């Protein structure tokens, strides 16, 4: 076995690390540099006591393994603190094995952190995390996604490229592509015309380019006592929603109650394109603390209009709870089971926070934790 050692990542390593990650995770170095800026340089919750991550070096002092560590502000068992998200675990195949475990152990045993999160979809790593005491939680709600298809021809192409599994009525076979592409423009025109229209109400949606204090106020007024959840204050949301690493794909739709000019909820979408420029619009975050059907319908209607503007082939929604699931089920017929990895573990529990007891503690997962949000 080659001689290796593990150490913490330093800023001087970023250039070499970007080249190394291109080798295994296939994004160009400039994309990784933008992510490093988001994860660490521009992270409002970065602290000198928290490592950027860990690298494995070989006998030539070259990086052959990496796992990142992204701090994020969380409400942990009712109090504001810092969680850390593991990201982009990759080890060169020639040195895998126990070396990969060293990176995971370094992440799992770090100090100055109350909560660890991992959302990387790696089956082997998931098994190791589970053995280290990490718990899994269902994300999204009921493990369901709803697909609103605008262009069936493009979605057939996308299915062939990516093997998307969806409703049995969605054409899956290559032989169907030609006739479906022929009629798809007419179906798209009809769907765009009949996109459900709302009765006049006092909710108004719009795109926003920043998170102001109204976002903090909405969250603070709706905090759940003793819950563990992402802190949705303006500073945290600005960082996650509007960092340069995601600026080209992320759109925030806010819903205002025009009766009092108050923010009542928001959706966050990413518009992603495939190699053939087939675009899908994917719901990445949803926050509606005082749930009303009219708020959800207003946000969905606005997102449908946005899908037309950007000419996306499909919009992907997921429910935040049973009420939203019922709304989506009535209006979007194509759905699929879609379980996402969401592992968590509380650390350093022998402190005053955990001695007080939390019988009514609730863990509320965030679909847009930094790992998944940035990647």
């Amino acid at each position: 076995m080659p001689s290796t050692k593990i150490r913490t990542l330093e800023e001087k390593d970023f250039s070499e690390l970007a080249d190394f990650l291109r080798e295994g995770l296939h994004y160009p170095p400039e994309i990784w540099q933008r992510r490093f800026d988001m994860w660490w340089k521009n992270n409002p919750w970065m602290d000198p006591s928290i490592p950027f991550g860990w690298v494995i070096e070989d006998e030539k002092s070259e990086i052959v393994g990496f796992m990142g560590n992204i701090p994020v502000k969380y409400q942990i068992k009712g109090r504001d603190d810092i969680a850390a998200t593991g990201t982009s675990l990759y080890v060169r195949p020639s040195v895998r094995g126990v070396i990969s475990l060293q990176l995971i152990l370094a992440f799992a045993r770090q100090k100055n952190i109350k909560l660890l999160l991992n959302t990387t979809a790696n089956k082997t790593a998931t098994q190791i995390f589970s053995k280290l005491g990490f718990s899994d939680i269902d994300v999204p709600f009921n493990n369901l996604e709803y697909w609103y298809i605008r262009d069936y021809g493009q979605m057939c192409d996308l299915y062939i490229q990516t093997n998307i599994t969806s409703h049995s009525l969605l054409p899956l076979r290559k032989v169907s592509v030609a006739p479906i592409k022929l009629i798809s423009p007419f179906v798209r025109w009809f769907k765009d015309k009949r996109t459900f229209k709302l009765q006049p109400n006092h909710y108004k949606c719009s795109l926003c380019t920043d998170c102001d204090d109204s976002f903090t106020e909405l969250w603070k007024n709706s905090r759940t006592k003793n819950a563990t959840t992402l802190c949705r204050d303006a500073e945290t949301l600005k960082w996650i929603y509007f960092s340069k690493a995601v600026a080209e794909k992320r759109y925030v739709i806010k819903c205002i109650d025009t009766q009092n000019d108050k923010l009542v909820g928001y959706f966050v979408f990413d518009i992603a394109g495939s190699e053939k420029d087939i675009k899908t619009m994917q719901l990445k975050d949803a926050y509606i603390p005082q749930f009303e059907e009219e708020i959800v319908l207003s946000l969905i209607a606005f997102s449908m209009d946005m899908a037309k503007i950007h000419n996306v082939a499909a919009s992907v929604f997921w429910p935040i709870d049973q009420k939203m699931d019922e709304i989506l089920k009535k209006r979007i017929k194509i759905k699929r089971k879609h379980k996402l990895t969401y592992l968590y573990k509380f650390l350093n529990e022998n402190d005053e926070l955990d001695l007080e007891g939390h019988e009514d503690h609730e863990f509320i997962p965030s679909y847009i934790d930094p790992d998944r949000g940035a990647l």
Side-chain angles (χ1 to χ4, degrees):
M1 179 181 292
S3 175
T4 60
K5 68 176 182 179
I6 185 171
R7 64 172 176 82
T8 56
L9 174 69
E10 300 177 19
E11 189 171 339
K12 64 180 178 63
D13 301 316
F14 287 0
S15 180
E16 180 186 355
L17 178 61
D19 288 330
F20 170 70
L21 291 176
R22 173 178 57 179
E23 165 195 317
L25 302 179
H26 310 302
Y27 293 100
E30 58 269 22
I31 296 296
W32 288 111
Q33 290 287 359
R34 288 169 62 183
R35 291 176 179 173
F36 300 161
D37 287 346
M38 177 187 181
W39 295 347
W40 302 311
K41 290 185 179 181
N42 301 324
N43 186 334
W45 312 116
M46 196 68 229
D47 184 274
S49 66
I50 301 173
F52 295 145
W54 299 267
V55 294
I56 300 290
E57 284 186 340
D58 63 11
E59 64 275 7
K60 299 178 182 178
S61 297
E62 294 181 355
I63 295 176
V64 295
F66 166 72
M67 183 170 186
N69 190 53
I70 311 172
V72 59
K73 188 179 178 183
Y74 249 68
Q75 175 184 312
I76 302 175
K77 298 185 178 179
R79 298 185 182 180
D80 291 359
D81 214 305
I82 299 296
T85 298
T87 187
S88 308
L89 173 64
Y90 174 67
V91 178
R92 187 168 287 164
S94 60
V95 293
R96 285 178 186 168
V98 177
I99 294 174
S100 301
L101 181 59
Q102 290 177 354
L103 290 169
I104 295 174
L105 287 175
F107 171 72
R109 292 173 177 174
Q110 62 182 301
K111 307 297 182 182
N112 304 314
I113 294 293
K114 292 291 197 309
L115 173 66
L116 296 179
L117 306 167
N118 189 275
T119 57
T120 301
N122 180 311
K123 290 184 178 180
T124 301
T126 297
Q127 292 173 351
I128 296 172
F129 280 119
S130 297
K131 290 180 180 179
L132 292 174
F134 282 72
S135 300
D136 196 4
I137 194 168
D138 284 347
V139 175
F141 178 81
N142 278 348
N143 297 330
L144 282 176
E145 281 185 344
Y146 291 83
W147 286 68
Y148 183 83
I149 310 296
R150 288 186 65 248
D151 192 319
Y152 281 88
Q154 288 193 11
M155 287 308 295
C156 284
D157 280 341
L158 187 63
Y159 175 80
I160 292 168
Q161 291 177 45
T162 62
N163 292 320
I164 292 174
T165 303
S166 54
H167 192 275
S168 59
L169 295 178
L170 184 65
L172 304 178
R173 299 181 180 179
K174 293 182 180 180
V175 293
S176 304
V177 171
I180 288 173
K181 281 188 172 182
L182 186 64
I183 65 170
S184 188
F186 301 99
V187 175
R188 184 175 64 243
W189 177 87
F190 176 74
K191 284 203 161 198
D192 287 348
K193 286 292 185 183
R194 69 179 291 274
T195 297
F196 65 92
K197 302 298 181 182
L198 297 173
Q199 296 297 322
N201 61 46
H202 53 275
Y203 295 117
K204 181 180 179 180
C205 295
S206 62
L207 285 175
C208 61
T209 56
D210 194 10
C211 291
D212 57 24
D213 290 340
S214 65
F215 285 79
T216 301
E217 182 180 358
L218 179 66
W219 176 66
K220 285 190 173 180
N221 291 340
S222 310
R223 291 177 72 150
T224 303
K225 183 181 179 181
N226 288 339
T228 293
T229 181
L230 178 73
C231 284
R232 294 177 175 272
D233 57 275
E235 191 171 12
T236 299
L237 297 185
K238 285 179 183 179
W239 168 56
I240 294 178
Y241 296 160
F242 297 107
S243 292
K244 288 183 179 179
V246 298
E248 295 176 358
K249 65 178 182 178
R250 189 150 296 163
Y251 298 84
V252 181
I253 304 171
K254 64 181 180 181
C255 185
I256 300 293
D257 185 344
T258 58
Q259 295 180 128
N260 52 26
D261 201 31
K262 293 284 188 180
L263 177 70
V264 291
Y266 51 88
F267 278 178
V268 181
F269 285 93
D270 279 1
I271 296 181
S274 69
E275 292 180 359
K276 293 185 178 181
D277 199 31
I278 300 171
K279 293 187 288 188
T280 57
M281 194 168 85
Q282 302 169 341
L283 183 64
K284 300 299 291 185
D285 197 13
Y287 190 62
I288 307 168
Q290 304 301 321
F291 194 92
E292 289 186 33
E293 183 173 3
E294 289 78 9
I295 299 174
V296 178
L297 293 176
S298 297
L299 287 163
I300 292 175
F302 188 92
S303 70
M304 297 291 194
D305 289 337
M306 193 171 78
K308 287 184 282 186
I309 292 170
H310 291 276
N311 195 29
V312 303
S315 298
V316 187
F317 298 87
W318 48 267
I320 58 177
D321 56 21
Q322 186 65 47
K323 294 177 182 177
M324 186 169 169
D325 187 49
E326 292 299 324
I327 294 172
L328 292 172
K329 189 185 300 182
K330 290 178 184 177
R331 289 163 177 81
I332 303 176
K333 302 305 180 185
I334 298 174
K335 62 182 179 181
R336 68 163 179 164
K337 284 286 185 180
H338 188 54
K339 174 72 174 77
L340 293 170
T341 302
Y342 197 105
L343 301 168
Y344 69 95
K345 181 181 181 180
F346 292 99
L347 286 185
N348 309 313
E349 295 198 327
N350 296 322
D351 58 24
E352 60 179 357
L353 174 67
D354 299 279
L355 294 176
E356 296 175 0
H358 294 271
E359 292 79 6
D360 59 343
H361 173 250
E362 180 183 8
F363 190 100
I364 305 172
S366 168
Y367 196 84
I368 200 163
D369 282 322
D371 179 41
R372 185 172 290 119
L375 301 181

